């Protein structure tokens, strides 16, 4: 008879808080302690650690972390320690200040989250910044980008598995007509992408492929220099195959000379608890090298150790 694996006991939030406090006091900072604790706790555990830390020491854990560590290591620890909706609200707010160059970040959060999660992001955003997320996006974007992004961030999609095949067939025809006419920002095209469930969209895109002989994103590849088209194609990929979308973001972040630490940090921090195993599989299949190896080759020090902890490498 196969023996049952005994689950590893996780220290209490009070013990974790005490250890983190010890890591901050005295000369120097115990970075390994920060990685050992925060790098191996899920969202619910991290939330409890923050609450316990503040109740015990009357200090904000995030502020104490910011005072003790810096650089890319501080950034990944900070994002990871936040609650998912809180983190996404902060990422959107940062992205809004750098539009149009950061359109993809807003699109990611709108398309890769569930309707429930996106609703929580909007709630958190309003509470934190005293204005609605969609209002901020509309105020800081223009033209076709504004039409698409505002529609995506306000989406409240049905999350069920039911599919209407007649609707899928009809809307595949609509999409093909708009794309054939190069009406890439047409209201009907954006409406379909913004309101339909991901299951329904998958059926629609399959119908598109079957009826017209091409995947929809292949037909949208007409002008690779068109930034709006690039965003539209990314939105479709992010809605349908987020693991493939994020694999590409990671690949480009570590391609060639230099590293795009901002993208690398964002993807690892936001996907570690969601679909990182699938992303790792896609990464290996596409690049013939593990994501762990790629990160080790492109990063170093405590930043590298934290990233590896978050993608599930080793027992730090």
């Amino acid at each position: 008879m196969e023996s049952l694996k005994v689950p590893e006991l996780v220290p209490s939030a009070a013990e974790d808080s005490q250890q983190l406090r010890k890591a901050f006091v005295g000369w120097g900072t115990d970075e390994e302690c920060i990685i050992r604790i925060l790098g191996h706790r899920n969202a619910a555990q991290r939330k409890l650690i923050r609450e316990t830390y503040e109740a015990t020491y009357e200090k904000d854990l995030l502020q104490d972390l910011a005072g003790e560590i810096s650089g890319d290591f501080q950034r990944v620890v900070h994002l990871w320690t936040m609650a998912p909706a809180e983190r996404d609200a902060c990422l959107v707010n940062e992205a809004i200040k750098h539009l149009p160059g950061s359109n993809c970040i807003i699109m990611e959060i709108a398309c890769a989250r569930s309707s429930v999660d996106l609703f929580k992001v909007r709630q958190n955003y309003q509470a934190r910044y005293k204005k609605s997320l969609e209002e901020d996006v509309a105020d800081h974007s223009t033209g076709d980008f504004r039409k698409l992004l505002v529609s995506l961030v306000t989406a409240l999609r049905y999350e069920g598995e039911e599919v209407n095949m007649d609707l899928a067939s009809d809307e595949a025809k609509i999409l093909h007509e708009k794309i054939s006419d190069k009406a890439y920002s047409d209201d009907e095209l954006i409406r379909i992408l913004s309101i339909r469930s991901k299951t329904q969209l998958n059926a629609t895109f399959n119908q598109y492929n079957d009826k017209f002989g091409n995947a929809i994103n292949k037909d949208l590849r007409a002008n690779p220099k068109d930034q709006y088209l690039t965003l539209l194609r990314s939105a479709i990929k992010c809605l349908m195959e987020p693991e493939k979308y994020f694999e590409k973001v990671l690949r480009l972040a570590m391609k060639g000379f230099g590293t795009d630490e901002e993208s690398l940090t964002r993807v690892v921090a936001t996907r570690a608890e969601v679909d990182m195993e699938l992303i790792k599989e896609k990464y290996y299949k596409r690049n013939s090298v593990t994501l762990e190896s790629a990160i080790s080759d492109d990063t170093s020090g405590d930043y590298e150790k934290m990233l590896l902890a978050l993608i599930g490498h080793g027992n730090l």
Side-chain angles (χ1 to χ4, degrees), residues 133 233 247:
L133 187 156
R233 291 177 62 241
E247 180 281 322

Side-chain angles (χ1 to χ4, degrees), residues 134-199:
E134 49 268 43
E135 177 188 359
D136 242 2
V137 171
D139 286 347
H140 290 83
S141 55
T142 58
D144 293 343
F145 292 106
R146 177 193 283 165
K147 281 180 69 176
L148 179 61
L149 289 175
V150 170
S151 293
L152 291 174
V153 299
T154 55
L156 190 61
R157 303 176 195 274
Y158 171 63
E159 294 287 344
E161 296 298 316
E162 286 80 359
V163 170
N164 182 328
M165 291 307 298
D166 290 335
L167 182 65
S169 178
D170 290 344
E171 293 193 334
K173 291 176 187 175
I174 293 171
L175 290 174
H176 186 258
E177 287 171 9
K178 302 304 178 185
I179 292 170
S180 297
D181 293 340
K182 295 183 169 53
Y184 304 124
S185 61
D186 184 89
D187 289 345
E188 276 292 276
L189 184 150
I190 291 176
R191 178 189 65 80
I192 292 167
L193 294 183
S194 300
I195 70 169
R196 297 299 178 216
S197 73
K198 294 178 182 181
T199 309

Side-chain angles (χ1 to χ4, degrees), residues 118-290:
L118 183 56
F119 180 71
K120 289 178 182 176
V121 175
R122 292 200 295 264
Q123 284 183 312
N124 194 287
Y125 196 97
Q126 187 156 324
R128 179 178 288 264
Y129 301 109
K130 310 308 176 191
K131 61 167 61 176
S132 72
L133 187 156
E134 49 268 43
E135 177 188 359
D136 242 2
V137 171
D139 286 347
H140 290 83
S141 55
T142 58
D144 293 343
F145 292 106
R146 177 193 283 165
K147 281 180 69 176
L148 179 61
L149 289 175
V150 170
S151 293
L152 291 174
V153 299
T154 55
L156 190 61
R157 303 176 195 274
Y158 171 63
E159 294 287 344
E161 296 298 316
E162 286 80 359
V163 170
N164 182 328
M165 291 307 298
D166 290 335
L167 182 65
S169 178
D170 290 344
E171 293 193 334
K173 291 176 187 175
I174 293 171
L175 290 174
H176 186 258
E177 287 171 9
K178 302 304 178 185
I179 292 170
S180 297
D181 293 340
K182 295 183 169 53
Y184 304 124
S185 61
D186 184 89
D187 289 345
E188 276 292 276
L189 184 150
I190 291 176
R191 178 189 65 80
I192 292 167
L193 294 183
S194 300
I195 70 169
R196 297 299 178 216
S197 73
K198 294 178 182 181
T199 309
Q200 182 68 37
L201 281 174
N202 189 53
T204 299
F205 297 150
N206 285 337
Q207 285 286 302
Y208 186 103
N209 198 352
D210 292 344
K211 287 176 182 294
F212 307 110
N214 271 337
I216 186 170
N217 264 0
K218 189 170 183 180
D219 283 348
L220 286 168
R221 201 174 281 150
N223 183 0
K225 293 182 180 179
D226 187 324
Q227 291 185 338
Y228 173 77
L229 262 186
T230 299
L231 184 67
L232 187 62
R233 291 177 62 241
S234 294
I236 290 170
K237 182 178 280 190
C238 206
L239 283 164
M240 293 297 95
E241 298 179 293
E243 65 280 1
K244 287 185 70 173
Y245 170 83
F246 287 112
E247 180 281 322
K248 184 176 181 180
V249 176
L250 290 172
R251 172 164 32 96
L252 295 179
M254 295 183 282
K255 184 179 181 180
F257 293 105
T259 305
D260 178 359
E261 288 89 358
E262 186 60 35
S263 295
L264 176 58
T265 298
R266 182 182 77 253
V267 173
V268 171
T270 58
R271 308 310 292 181
E273 290 180 292
V274 183
D275 54 0
M276 185 52 69
E277 290 305 312
L278 283 173
I279 293 169
K280 286 161 67 175
E281 288 175 18
K282 295 289 182 186
Y283 193 93
Y284 183 76
K285 186 174 181 180
R286 176 67 173 73
N287 305 285
S288 300
V289 63
T290 65

